[in-house]
Amino acid sequence: MIGQLRSVVIDCPDPRGLAGFYAELLGLPLIEDNSDGDDWVVLGGPPGHLPRLAFQKAPDLRAPDWPDPERPQQFHIDVTVDDIEAAEKAALALGARRLPGEGDGFRVYADPAGHPFCLCWD
């Protein structure tokens, strides 16, 4: 095991509105301490407390139209790791590739099929 699932992140034009829908649908609480205004909204708990869904603002989102391959499903996974350097090395060895983009506490990668995911540390 390289890490633990941190979050499933869903891009959407209205993170707070969509989070409200899933909060009701799944009975998960809104976690304001882990949210960032209306641009990043988290349900379920702090990192390490699963399940956890996050909603990320994407104002120009081209919504999926499943099963149309021209408009596929859209999400990414956040994985919490203890040691980012060791985790990156292991993920790359499994076939991941580094993508542009990183911030305080995360780096972005693509899985072997091209789906993005983040390795995160606190």
Side-chain angles (χ1 to χ4, degrees):
M1 180 177 83
I2 294 171
Q4 293 181 308
L5 178 67
R6 179 186 185 105
S7 307
V8 173
V9 181
I10 300 171
D11 286 355
C12 57
D14 178 12
R16 197 159 289 277
L18 192 57
F21 169 81
Y22 279 101
E24 290 296 319
L25 184 69
L26 302 172
L28 295 173
L30 175 72
I31 308 300
E32 284 294 348
D33 289 350
N34 292 154
S35 297
D36 185 11
D38 291 332
D39 292 336
W40 176 265
V41 180
V42 177
L43 300 178
H49 294 82
L50 303 175
R52 183 177 141 114
L53 288 176
F55 303 86
Q56 177 173 271
K57 184 142 184 115
D60 298 323
L61 178 74
R62 190 169 170 225
D65 189 20
W66 187 87
D68 183 352
E70 294 296 316
R71 309 251 314 260
Q73 298 178 63
Q74 301 162 359
F75 73 96
H76 76 264
I77 295 173
D78 286 347
V79 178
T80 298
V81 299
D82 293 327
D83 178 340
I84 184 58
E85 301 305 330
E88 178 176 274
K89 183 177 178 182
L92 295 173
L94 289 174
R97 63 187 165 85
R98 184 87 184 265
L99 295 176
E102 65 181 89
D104 291 337
F106 72 92
R107 292 182 188 165
V108 184
Y109 304 84
D111 69 18
H115 301 109
F117 69 94
C118 295
L119 295 180
C120 306
W121 63 96
D122 294 321

